[in-house]
Protein backbone atom coordinates (compact mmCIF):
# COMPACT_ATOMS: atom_id res chain seq x y z
CA UNK A 1 0.00 0.00 0.00
CA UNK A 2 1.43 3.34 -1.04
CA UNK A 3 1.36 6.05 1.58
CA UNK A 4 -0.15 9.33 0.51
CA UNK A 5 2.14 11.66 2.47
CA UNK A 6 0.75 14.79 0.84
CA UNK A 7 -2.80 13.99 1.95
CA UNK A 8 -1.69 13.13 5.49
CA UNK A 9 0.23 16.40 5.67
CA UNK A 10 -2.75 18.43 4.44
CA UNK A 11 -5.09 16.69 6.90
CA UNK A 12 -2.83 17.19 9.90
CA UNK A 13 -1.88 20.79 9.19
CA UNK A 14 -5.09 22.22 7.73
CA UNK A 15 -8.27 20.31 7.00
CA UNK A 16 -8.35 18.45 10.31
CA UNK A 17 -6.01 20.59 12.36
CA UNK A 18 -6.32 19.22 15.92
CA UNK A 19 -6.45 22.62 17.62
CA UNK A 20 -8.42 24.81 15.24
CA UNK A 21 -10.69 22.36 13.45
CA UNK A 22 -11.25 19.44 15.83
CA UNK A 23 -10.77 21.49 19.04
CA UNK A 24 -8.91 18.72 20.85
CA UNK A 25 -6.26 19.17 23.52
CA UNK A 26 -7.75 22.46 24.65
CA UNK A 27 -6.27 22.58 28.15
CA UNK A 28 -2.58 23.09 27.21
CA UNK A 29 -3.64 25.32 24.32
CA UNK A 30 -5.37 27.74 26.65
CA UNK A 31 -2.88 27.54 29.48
CA UNK A 32 0.46 27.71 27.68
CA UNK A 33 -0.10 30.30 24.98
CA UNK A 34 0.86 33.25 27.15
CA UNK A 35 4.26 33.10 25.44
CA UNK A 36 5.18 31.92 21.94
CA UNK A 37 8.14 29.93 23.26
CA UNK A 38 5.96 27.89 25.63
CA UNK A 39 3.72 27.09 22.67
CA UNK A 40 6.68 25.74 20.68
CA UNK A 41 7.96 23.74 23.65
CA UNK A 42 4.59 22.15 24.39
CA UNK A 43 3.93 21.55 20.69
CA UNK A 44 7.23 19.77 20.14
CA UNK A 45 6.82 17.67 23.29
CA UNK A 46 3.40 16.54 22.06
CA UNK A 47 4.77 15.93 18.55
CA UNK A 48 7.49 13.68 19.94
CA UNK A 49 5.02 11.67 22.02
CA UNK A 50 2.63 11.45 19.06
CA UNK A 51 5.25 10.11 16.64
CA UNK A 52 6.63 7.56 19.12
CA UNK A 53 3.25 6.34 20.34
CA UNK A 54 1.88 6.15 16.79
CA UNK A 55 4.86 4.05 15.65
CA UNK A 56 4.68 1.65 18.61
CA UNK A 57 0.89 1.29 18.41
CA UNK A 58 1.12 0.70 14.68
CA UNK A 59 3.78 -1.97 15.29
CA UNK A 60 1.65 -3.69 17.91
CA UNK A 61 -1.73 -3.21 16.23
CA UNK A 62 -2.08 -6.90 15.41
CA UNK A 63 -0.89 -8.06 18.85
CA UNK A 64 -3.05 -5.91 21.13
CA UNK A 65 -6.45 -7.54 21.75
CA UNK A 66 -9.37 -5.31 20.86
CA UNK A 67 -10.89 -5.35 24.35
CA UNK A 68 -7.86 -3.96 26.20
CA UNK A 69 -6.66 -1.61 23.49
CA UNK A 70 -7.46 1.63 25.32
CA UNK A 71 -5.50 0.75 28.51
CA UNK A 72 -2.66 -0.52 26.29
CA UNK A 73 -2.60 2.77 24.34
CA UNK A 74 -2.64 4.77 27.55
CA UNK A 75 0.26 2.74 28.95
CA UNK A 76 2.33 3.33 25.79
CA UNK A 77 1.55 7.05 25.81
CA UNK A 78 2.31 7.37 29.54
CA UNK A 79 5.70 5.73 28.99
CA UNK A 80 6.70 8.26 26.34
CA UNK A 81 5.40 11.17 28.40
CA UNK A 82 7.61 10.00 31.27
CA UNK A 83 10.58 9.90 28.89
CA UNK A 84 9.88 13.44 27.64
CA UNK A 85 9.46 14.68 31.19
CA UNK A 86 12.77 13.24 32.39
CA UNK A 87 14.60 14.46 29.26
CA UNK A 88 13.22 18.01 29.54
CA UNK A 89 13.98 18.17 33.27
CA UNK A 90 17.60 17.30 32.45
CA UNK A 91 18.14 19.29 29.26
CA UNK A 92 15.91 22.37 29.58
CA UNK A 93 14.98 22.93 33.24
CA UNK A 94 13.54 26.41 32.52
CA UNK A 95 11.06 25.12 29.95
CA UNK A 96 10.26 22.19 32.28
CA UNK A 97 9.44 24.69 34.99
CA UNK A 98 7.17 26.82 32.81
CA UNK A 99 5.28 23.86 31.32
CA UNK A 100 4.85 22.58 34.89
CA UNK A 101 1.64 20.68 35.51
CA UNK A 102 0.75 20.48 31.82
CA UNK A 103 3.68 18.23 30.94
CA UNK A 104 2.36 15.11 32.73
CA UNK A 105 -1.10 16.00 31.45
CA UNK A 106 0.02 15.16 27.89
CA UNK A 107 -1.10 11.63 28.86
CA UNK A 108 -4.74 12.67 28.85
CA UNK A 109 -4.38 14.94 25.80
CA UNK A 110 -7.21 13.81 23.54
CA UNK A 111 -5.18 14.39 20.34
CA UNK A 112 -2.79 11.53 21.06
CA UNK A 113 -5.44 8.99 22.02
CA UNK A 114 -7.59 10.09 19.08
CA UNK A 115 -4.77 9.54 16.57
CA UNK A 116 -3.90 6.20 18.16
CA UNK A 117 -7.48 5.05 17.97
CA UNK A 118 -8.45 6.42 14.56
CA UNK A 119 -5.18 6.17 12.61
CA UNK A 120 -2.26 4.25 14.12
CA UNK A 121 -4.31 1.19 15.04
CA UNK A 122 -5.37 0.81 11.40
CA UNK A 123 -2.37 1.91 9.32
CA UNK A 124 1.24 0.95 8.63
CA UNK A 125 4.31 2.19 10.50
CA UNK A 126 5.49 4.80 7.99
CA UNK A 127 2.01 6.26 7.48
CA UNK A 128 1.48 6.40 11.26
CA UNK A 129 4.80 8.15 11.82
CA UNK A 130 3.91 10.73 9.13
CA UNK A 131 0.49 11.22 10.67
CA UNK A 132 2.05 11.76 14.10
CA UNK A 133 4.54 14.24 12.69
CA UNK A 134 2.04 16.36 10.77
CA UNK A 135 -0.71 16.29 13.39
CA UNK A 136 1.91 17.33 15.94
CA UNK A 137 3.18 20.09 13.67
CA UNK A 138 -0.38 21.33 13.13
CA UNK A 139 -0.78 21.51 16.91
CA UNK A 140 2.61 23.23 17.30
CA UNK A 141 1.84 25.79 14.58
CA UNK A 142 -1.52 26.70 16.11
CA UNK A 143 -0.04 26.99 19.61
CA UNK A 144 2.89 29.10 18.42
CA UNK A 145 0.67 31.48 16.44
CA UNK A 146 -1.70 31.92 19.38
CA UNK A 147 1.26 32.32 21.73
CA UNK A 148 2.80 35.01 19.51
CA UNK A 149 -0.55 36.82 19.23
CA UNK A 150 -1.07 36.86 23.00
CA UNK A 151 2.54 37.70 23.77
CA UNK A 152 2.62 40.66 21.38
CA UNK A 153 -0.70 42.09 22.56
CA UNK A 154 -0.43 41.09 26.21
CA UNK A 155 3.13 42.13 26.99
CA UNK A 156 4.54 43.85 23.90
CA UNK A 157 7.15 41.13 23.47
CA UNK A 158 7.86 38.35 21.00
CA UNK A 159 9.95 35.31 22.07
CA UNK A 160 11.03 37.39 25.06
CA UNK A 161 12.32 40.37 23.02
CA UNK A 162 10.78 43.73 23.82
CA UNK A 163 8.97 45.27 20.86
CA UNK A 164 7.27 48.31 22.39
CA UNK A 165 5.88 49.57 25.67
CA UNK A 166 2.25 49.14 24.69
CA UNK A 167 0.35 46.20 26.15
CA UNK A 168 -3.22 45.08 26.88
CA UNK A 169 -3.23 43.05 30.09
CA UNK A 170 -6.46 41.35 29.06
CA UNK A 171 -4.64 39.11 26.57
CA UNK A 172 -2.28 37.83 29.24
CA UNK A 173 -5.13 36.81 31.57
CA UNK A 174 -7.20 33.64 31.52
CA UNK A 175 -10.16 35.46 29.95
CA UNK A 176 -7.86 36.57 27.14
CA UNK A 177 -6.89 32.95 26.53
CA UNK A 178 -10.51 31.96 25.87
CA UNK A 179 -11.05 35.05 23.73
CA UNK A 180 -7.93 34.47 21.60
CA UNK A 181 -8.85 30.82 21.07
CA UNK A 182 -12.39 31.80 20.02
CA UNK A 183 -10.99 34.39 17.61
CA UNK A 184 -8.58 31.89 16.05
CA UNK A 185 -11.24 29.19 15.55
CA UNK A 186 -13.65 31.75 14.10
CA UNK A 187 -11.01 33.09 11.69
CA UNK A 188 -10.07 29.54 10.69
CA UNK A 189 -13.74 28.66 10.09
CA UNK A 190 -14.30 31.82 8.06
CA UNK A 191 -11.24 31.14 5.91
CA UNK A 192 -12.07 27.50 5.27
CA UNK A 193 -15.70 28.43 4.46
CA UNK A 194 -14.49 31.02 1.96
CA UNK A 195 -12.09 28.55 0.34
CA UNK A 196 -14.79 25.88 0.12
CA UNK A 197 -17.22 28.37 -1.41
CA UNK A 198 -14.68 29.48 -4.02
CA UNK A 199 -14.00 25.86 -4.90
CA UNK A 200 -17.69 25.10 -5.27
CA UNK A 201 -18.21 28.23 -7.40
CA UNK A 202 -15.35 27.20 -9.69
CA UNK A 203 -16.92 23.76 -10.08
CA UNK A 204 -20.28 25.26 -10.96
CA UNK A 205 -18.64 27.62 -13.43
CA UNK A 206 -16.95 24.69 -15.13
CA UNK A 207 -20.27 22.89 -15.24
CA UNK A 208 -21.92 25.94 -16.81
CA UNK A 209 -19.22 26.14 -19.44
CA UNK A 210 -19.85 22.53 -20.36
CA UNK A 211 -23.58 23.30 -20.51
CA UNK A 212 -24.21 20.39 -18.23
CA UNK A 213 -26.85 22.05 -16.13
CA UNK A 214 -28.02 24.71 -18.56
CA UNK A 215 -30.93 22.59 -19.71
CA UNK A 216 -32.37 22.47 -16.21
CA UNK A 217 -33.71 25.96 -16.77
CA UNK A 218 -36.37 24.56 -19.05
CA UNK A 219 -39.89 25.27 -17.83
CA UNK A 220 -40.52 21.64 -16.94
CA UNK A 221 -38.20 21.68 -13.93
CA UNK A 222 -38.84 24.76 -11.81
CA UNK A 223 -37.17 23.30 -8.68
CA UNK A 224 -33.82 22.86 -10.30
CA UNK A 225 -34.23 26.20 -11.98
CA UNK A 226 -34.25 27.77 -8.54
CA UNK A 227 -31.02 25.89 -7.88
CA UNK A 228 -29.57 27.57 -10.96
CA UNK A 229 -30.34 30.98 -9.53
CA UNK A 230 -28.55 29.93 -6.36
CA UNK A 231 -25.57 28.88 -8.35
CA UNK A 232 -25.24 32.27 -10.02
CA UNK A 233 -25.57 33.94 -6.63
CA UNK A 234 -23.01 31.58 -5.19
CA UNK A 235 -20.42 32.65 -7.74
CA UNK A 236 -20.99 36.28 -6.86
CA UNK A 237 -20.92 35.64 -3.11
CA UNK A 238 -17.70 33.66 -3.25
CA UNK A 239 -15.90 36.62 -4.76
CA UNK A 240 -16.96 38.89 -1.88
CA UNK A 241 -16.88 36.14 0.75
CA UNK A 242 -13.24 36.43 1.78
CA UNK A 243 -13.22 40.21 2.37
CA UNK A 244 -16.57 40.13 4.14
CA UNK A 245 -15.51 37.45 6.63
CA UNK A 246 -12.22 39.19 7.35
CA UNK A 247 -13.99 42.44 8.25
CA UNK A 248 -16.43 40.45 10.43
CA UNK A 249 -13.57 39.13 12.54
CA UNK A 250 -12.14 42.61 13.05
CA UNK A 251 -15.53 43.92 14.03
CA UNK A 252 -15.93 41.48 16.94
CA UNK A 253 -12.48 42.36 18.16
CA UNK A 254 -13.11 46.07 18.24
CA UNK A 255 -16.50 45.61 19.86
CA UNK A 256 -15.00 43.77 22.81
CA UNK A 257 -12.32 46.40 23.24
CA UNK B 1 -11.36 26.60 60.70
CA UNK B 2 -9.58 29.54 59.03
CA UNK B 3 -7.52 26.96 57.15
CA UNK B 4 -10.68 25.20 56.00
CA UNK B 5 -12.19 28.45 54.67
CA UNK B 6 -8.90 29.27 52.95
CA UNK B 7 -8.93 25.91 51.12
CA UNK B 8 -12.55 26.38 50.05
CA UNK B 9 -12.03 29.92 48.75
CA UNK B 10 -8.77 29.02 47.02
CA UNK B 11 -9.98 25.83 45.35
CA UNK B 12 -13.45 26.98 44.35
CA UNK B 13 -12.88 30.61 43.40
CA UNK B 14 -9.33 32.01 43.31
CA UNK B 15 -7.73 29.03 41.58
CA UNK B 16 -10.84 27.63 39.95
CA UNK B 17 -9.83 24.49 38.09
CA UNK B 18 -11.61 25.30 34.86
CA UNK B 19 -11.43 29.00 34.17
CA UNK B 20 -8.18 29.87 35.96
CA UNK B 21 -6.04 26.74 35.67
CA UNK B 22 -7.59 25.44 32.42
CA UNK B 23 -8.05 21.86 33.60
CA UNK B 24 -11.02 19.82 32.42
CA UNK B 25 -11.86 22.10 29.50
CA UNK B 26 -13.08 19.20 27.33
CA UNK B 27 -16.13 18.30 29.48
CA UNK B 28 -16.56 22.00 30.29
CA UNK B 29 -17.20 22.68 26.60
CA UNK B 30 -18.59 19.28 25.64
CA UNK B 31 -21.15 18.51 28.37
CA UNK B 32 -22.41 22.03 29.09
CA UNK B 33 -25.30 22.22 26.65
CA UNK B 34 -27.99 21.78 29.33
CA UNK B 35 -27.97 22.40 33.07
CA UNK B 36 -29.07 18.95 34.18
CA UNK B 37 -26.34 16.93 32.49
CA UNK B 38 -23.77 19.58 33.43
CA UNK B 39 -24.69 19.16 37.09
CA UNK B 40 -24.50 15.36 36.78
CA UNK B 41 -21.07 15.59 35.20
CA UNK B 42 -19.93 18.00 37.90
CA UNK B 43 -21.04 15.63 40.67
CA UNK B 44 -19.36 12.64 39.01
CA UNK B 45 -16.09 14.54 38.57
CA UNK B 46 -16.17 15.83 42.16
CA UNK B 47 -16.63 12.31 43.48
CA UNK B 48 -13.81 10.87 41.36
CA UNK B 49 -11.45 13.75 42.21
CA UNK B 50 -11.99 13.28 45.95
CA UNK B 51 -11.43 9.53 45.74
CA UNK B 52 -8.37 10.01 43.53
CA UNK B 53 -6.73 12.35 46.03
CA UNK B 54 -7.56 9.92 48.83
CA UNK B 55 -5.73 7.10 47.05
CA UNK B 56 -2.94 8.68 44.99
CA UNK B 57 -1.56 10.93 47.75
CA UNK B 58 -0.73 8.10 50.22
CA UNK B 59 0.52 5.85 47.41
CA UNK B 60 2.91 8.55 46.23
CA UNK B 61 4.12 9.54 49.71
CA UNK B 62 4.34 6.11 51.32
CA UNK B 63 5.15 3.85 48.38
CA UNK B 64 6.75 5.67 45.44
CA UNK B 65 8.95 8.07 47.43
CA UNK B 66 10.48 5.48 49.82
CA UNK B 67 11.16 3.17 46.87
CA UNK B 68 12.70 6.11 44.93
CA UNK B 69 10.55 5.49 41.85
CA UNK B 70 8.81 8.89 41.73
CA UNK B 71 9.25 8.98 37.96
CA UNK B 72 6.61 6.24 37.69
CA UNK B 73 3.94 8.62 39.04
CA UNK B 74 2.22 9.32 35.70
CA UNK B 75 1.79 5.65 34.82
CA UNK B 76 0.69 4.68 38.34
CA UNK B 77 -1.76 7.60 38.65
CA UNK B 78 -3.46 7.05 35.31
CA UNK B 79 -4.04 3.40 36.16
CA UNK B 80 -5.39 4.24 39.60
CA UNK B 81 -7.81 6.72 38.06
CA UNK B 82 -8.91 4.24 35.40
CA UNK B 83 -9.45 1.60 38.10
CA UNK B 84 -11.45 3.99 40.31
CA UNK B 85 -13.71 4.99 37.43
CA UNK B 86 -14.21 1.35 36.46
CA UNK B 87 -15.05 0.34 40.02
CA UNK B 88 -17.49 3.22 40.52
CA UNK B 89 -19.19 2.22 37.31
CA UNK B 90 -19.55 -1.38 38.44
CA UNK B 91 -20.69 -0.40 41.94
CA UNK B 92 -23.27 2.03 40.58
CA UNK B 93 -24.59 -0.55 38.16
CA UNK B 94 -24.99 -3.04 40.99
CA UNK B 95 -26.39 -0.85 43.78
CA UNK B 96 -28.05 2.14 42.16
CA UNK B 97 -29.23 1.61 38.59
CA UNK B 98 -31.08 4.96 38.57
CA UNK B 99 -27.93 6.91 39.40
CA UNK B 100 -26.02 4.75 36.95
CA UNK B 101 -28.45 5.65 34.18
CA UNK B 102 -28.29 9.31 35.16
CA UNK B 103 -24.53 9.64 34.87
CA UNK B 104 -23.58 6.44 33.10
CA UNK B 105 -22.39 8.02 29.88
CA UNK B 106 -20.18 10.57 31.64
CA UNK B 107 -18.32 8.12 33.82
CA UNK B 108 -15.96 6.57 31.23
CA UNK B 109 -15.13 10.07 29.98
CA UNK B 110 -13.76 11.02 33.39
CA UNK B 111 -10.68 8.80 32.99
CA UNK B 112 -9.32 11.12 30.33
CA UNK B 113 -10.40 14.28 32.14
CA UNK B 114 -7.30 16.34 32.83
CA UNK B 115 -8.87 17.82 35.95
CA UNK B 116 -8.62 14.45 37.70
CA UNK B 117 -5.00 13.69 36.78
CA UNK B 118 -4.28 17.38 37.33
CA UNK B 119 -5.48 17.36 40.93
CA UNK B 120 -3.52 14.14 41.63
CA UNK B 121 -0.34 15.78 40.28
CA UNK B 122 -1.04 19.06 42.05
CA UNK B 123 -1.47 17.70 45.58
CA UNK B 124 1.88 15.88 45.47
CA UNK B 125 3.72 19.02 44.33
CA UNK B 126 4.15 20.09 47.97
CA UNK B 127 5.60 23.55 47.46
CA UNK B 128 3.02 24.64 44.91
CA UNK B 129 -0.02 23.32 46.75
CA UNK B 130 1.25 24.89 49.99
CA UNK B 131 1.42 28.31 48.37
CA UNK B 132 -2.03 27.81 46.77
CA UNK B 133 -3.83 27.07 50.03
CA UNK B 134 -1.56 29.12 52.29
CA UNK B 135 0.01 26.54 54.60
CA UNK B 136 3.63 25.99 55.63
CA UNK B 137 5.53 24.01 52.99
CA UNK B 138 6.18 20.95 55.17
CA UNK B 139 2.73 20.58 56.70
CA UNK B 140 0.92 19.06 53.71
CA UNK B 141 -0.98 15.93 54.67
CA UNK B 142 -3.66 13.62 53.37
CA UNK B 143 -6.47 15.62 55.02
CA UNK B 144 -5.55 18.75 53.06
CA UNK B 145 -5.12 16.67 49.90
CA UNK B 146 -8.62 15.17 50.12
CA UNK B 147 -10.21 18.51 51.04
CA UNK B 148 -8.48 20.18 48.11
CA UNK B 149 -9.67 17.43 45.77
CA UNK B 150 -13.24 17.78 47.02
CA UNK B 151 -13.40 21.55 46.67
CA UNK B 152 -11.57 21.62 43.35
CA UNK B 153 -14.38 19.35 42.17
CA UNK B 154 -16.95 21.75 43.63
CA UNK B 155 -15.23 24.55 41.74
CA UNK B 156 -15.51 22.52 38.54
CA UNK B 157 -19.22 21.95 39.19
CA UNK B 158 -19.86 25.65 39.85
CA UNK B 159 -18.11 26.65 36.62
CA UNK B 160 -19.80 24.05 34.42
CA UNK B 161 -23.28 24.82 35.79
CA UNK B 162 -22.84 28.58 35.21
CA UNK B 163 -21.56 27.82 31.72
CA UNK B 164 -24.50 25.54 30.86
CA UNK B 165 -26.99 28.16 32.08
CA UNK B 166 -25.43 30.77 29.81
CA UNK B 167 -25.25 28.41 26.86
CA UNK B 168 -28.94 27.54 27.21
CA UNK B 169 -29.71 31.22 26.70
CA UNK B 170 -27.18 31.70 23.91
CA UNK B 171 -28.53 28.73 21.96
CA UNK B 172 -31.66 30.80 21.21
CA UNK B 173 -29.73 33.69 19.71
CA UNK B 174 -28.88 34.18 16.09
CA UNK B 175 -25.12 34.31 15.73
CA UNK B 176 -22.65 34.59 12.87
CA UNK B 177 -21.94 31.35 11.03
CA UNK B 178 -18.22 31.23 11.75
CA UNK B 179 -18.82 31.87 15.47
CA UNK B 180 -21.29 29.00 15.89
CA UNK B 181 -20.35 26.09 18.12
CA UNK B 182 -17.00 26.26 19.87
CA UNK B 183 -16.07 29.94 19.28
CA UNK B 184 -19.21 31.30 20.94
CA UNK B 185 -18.80 28.82 23.80
CA UNK B 186 -15.23 30.06 24.28
CA UNK B 187 -16.39 33.68 24.33
CA UNK B 188 -18.96 32.72 26.98
CA UNK B 189 -16.15 31.09 28.94
CA UNK B 190 -14.14 34.27 28.49
CA UNK B 191 -16.77 36.28 30.37
CA UNK B 192 -17.00 33.66 33.14
CA UNK B 193 -13.20 33.84 33.45
CA UNK B 194 -13.43 37.63 33.78
CA UNK B 195 -15.94 37.20 36.61
CA UNK B 196 -13.65 34.75 38.41
CA UNK B 197 -10.69 37.08 37.85
CA UNK B 198 -12.20 39.39 40.45
CA UNK B 199 -11.56 36.77 43.16
CA UNK B 200 -7.86 36.77 42.33
CA UNK B 201 -7.70 40.45 43.30
CA UNK B 202 -8.78 39.73 46.90
Amino acid sequence: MKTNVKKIAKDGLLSSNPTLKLVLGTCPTLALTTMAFNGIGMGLAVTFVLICSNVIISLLRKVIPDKVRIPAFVLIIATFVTIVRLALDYAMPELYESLGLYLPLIVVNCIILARAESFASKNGIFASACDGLFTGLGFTAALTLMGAFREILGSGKIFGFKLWNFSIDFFGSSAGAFFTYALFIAAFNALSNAVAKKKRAAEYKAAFAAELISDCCAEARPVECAACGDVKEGVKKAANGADKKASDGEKTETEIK
Amino acid sequence: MAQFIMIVVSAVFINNFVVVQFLGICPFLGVSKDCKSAFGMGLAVTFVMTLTCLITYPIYTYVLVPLKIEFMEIIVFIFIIAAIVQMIEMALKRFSPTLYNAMGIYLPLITTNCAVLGVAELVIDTSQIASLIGIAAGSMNIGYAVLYGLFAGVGFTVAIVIMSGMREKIARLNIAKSLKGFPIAMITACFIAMAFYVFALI
Side-chain angles (χ1 to χ4, degrees), chain A residues 27 85 102 105 107 174 181, chain B residues 21-23 73-74 114 186:
Chain A
C27 304
R85 201 181 182 194
Y102 297 94
L105 289 182
V107 179
S174 52
Y181 201 175
Chain B
Q21 305 203 45
F22 304 119
L23 296 168
E73 67 183 56
I74 303 174
C114 25
M186 295 261 188

Side-chain angles (χ1 to χ4, degrees), chain A residues 209-230:
Chain A
E211 288 186 338
L212 277 176
I213 48 172
S214 62
D215 66 333
C216 82
C217 287
E219 290 166 339
R221 288 190 237 159
V223 180
E224 275 166 2
C225 201
C228 261
D230 262 353

Side-chain angles (χ1 to χ4, degrees), chain A residues 6-231:
Chain A
K6 212 174 160 189
K7 190 183 171 295
I8 294 176
K10 198 180 159 237
D11 274 353
L13 292 173
L14 294 171
S15 56
S16 60
N17 184 297
T19 315
L20 298 174
K21 186 78 198 173
L22 306 177
V23 198
L24 292 175
T26 39
C27 304
T29 311
L30 289 165
L32 295 172
T33 48
T34 44
M35 292 198 299
F37 187 68
N38 280 355
I40 291 189
M42 186 67 194
L44 292 183
V46 168
T47 309
F48 174 79
V49 176
L50 248 173
I51 297 174
C52 295
S53 68
N54 262 8
V55 166
I56 299 289
I57 288 164
S58 171
L59 270 173
L60 296 175
R61 70 184 188 277
K62 282 169 190 144
V63 186
I64 299 174
D66 211 36
K67 267 190 179 163
V68 294
R69 68 182 194 286
I70 300 287
F73 293 167
V74 171
L75 178 66
I76 292 166
I77 295 166
T79 311
F80 284 111
V81 173
T82 308
I83 293 172
V84 169
R85 201 181 182 194
L86 293 175
L88 266 186
D89 192 15
Y90 177 74
M92 305 171 87
E94 273 175 31
L95 184 63
Y96 176 82
E97 202 60 40
S98 59
L99 295 185
L101 184 60
Y102 297 94
L103 203 52
L105 289 182
I106 297 176
V107 179
V108 283
N109 191 322
C110 337
I111 299 172
I112 299 172
L113 204 59
R115 293 328 286 173
E117 174 78 8
S118 68
F119 197 94
S121 60
K122 292 180 192 117
N123 288 283
I125 298 161
F126 180 65
S128 301
C130 284
D131 180 72
L133 175 68
F134 287 113
T135 310
L137 286 182
F139 180 68
T140 313
L143 248 67
T144 313
L145 277 178
M146 280 171 65
F149 182 85
R150 283 183 67 194
E151 199 179 355
I152 291 173
L153 287 175
S155 59
K157 292 177 189 170
I158 180 76
F159 291 107
F161 297 109
K162 195 98 187 155
L163 288 176
W164 47 66
N165 274 328
F166 170 75
S167 68
I168 310 165
D169 288 345
F170 170 74
F171 284 98
S173 70
S174 52
F178 283 112
F179 184 69
T180 310
Y181 201 175
L183 211 64
F184 268 69
I185 303 176
F188 188 82
N189 281 350
L191 268 178
S192 53
N193 284 348
V195 169
K197 236 179 189 175
K198 224 171 201 173
K199 220 176 179 179
R200 232 180 306 145
E203 275 166 18
Y204 278 132
K205 249 184 186 169
F208 266 127
E211 288 186 338
L212 277 176
I213 48 172
S214 62
D215 66 333
C216 82
C217 287
E219 290 166 339
R221 288 190 237 159
V223 180
E224 275 166 2
C225 201
C228 261
D230 262 353
V231 168

Side-chain angles (χ1 to χ4, degrees), chain B residues 108-153:
Chain B
L109 289 177
I110 294 173
T111 314
T112 53
N113 184 341
C114 25
V116 180
L117 187 61
V119 79
E121 291 278 345
L122 195 64
V123 292
I124 58 161
D125 188 347
T126 343
S127 57
Q128 206 190 341
I129 186 77
S131 70
L132 279 183
I133 60 176
I135 53 169
S139 60
M140 185 66 191
N141 62 28
I142 184 168
Y144 287 143
V146 174
L147 265 184
Y148 192 79
L150 172 65
F151 285 106

Side-chain angles (χ1 to χ4, degrees), chain B residues 67-111:
Chain B
L67 291 176
K68 291 198 168 56
I69 48 168
E70 294 101 321
F71 65 87
M72 290 287 286
E73 67 183 56
I74 303 174
I75 298 173
V76 172
F77 284 5
I78 195 79
F79 272 87
I80 292 174
I81 293 168
I84 291 174
V85 173
Q86 194 74 49
M87 275 190 281
I88 292 176
E89 203 176 346
M90 287 195 294
L92 274 185
K93 212 174 189 174
R94 175 83 177 74
F95 298 113
S96 169
T98 31
L99 199 58
Y100 175 78
N101 286 333
M103 57 192 221
I105 41 168
Y106 309 121
L107 270 174
L109 289 177
I110 294 173
T111 314

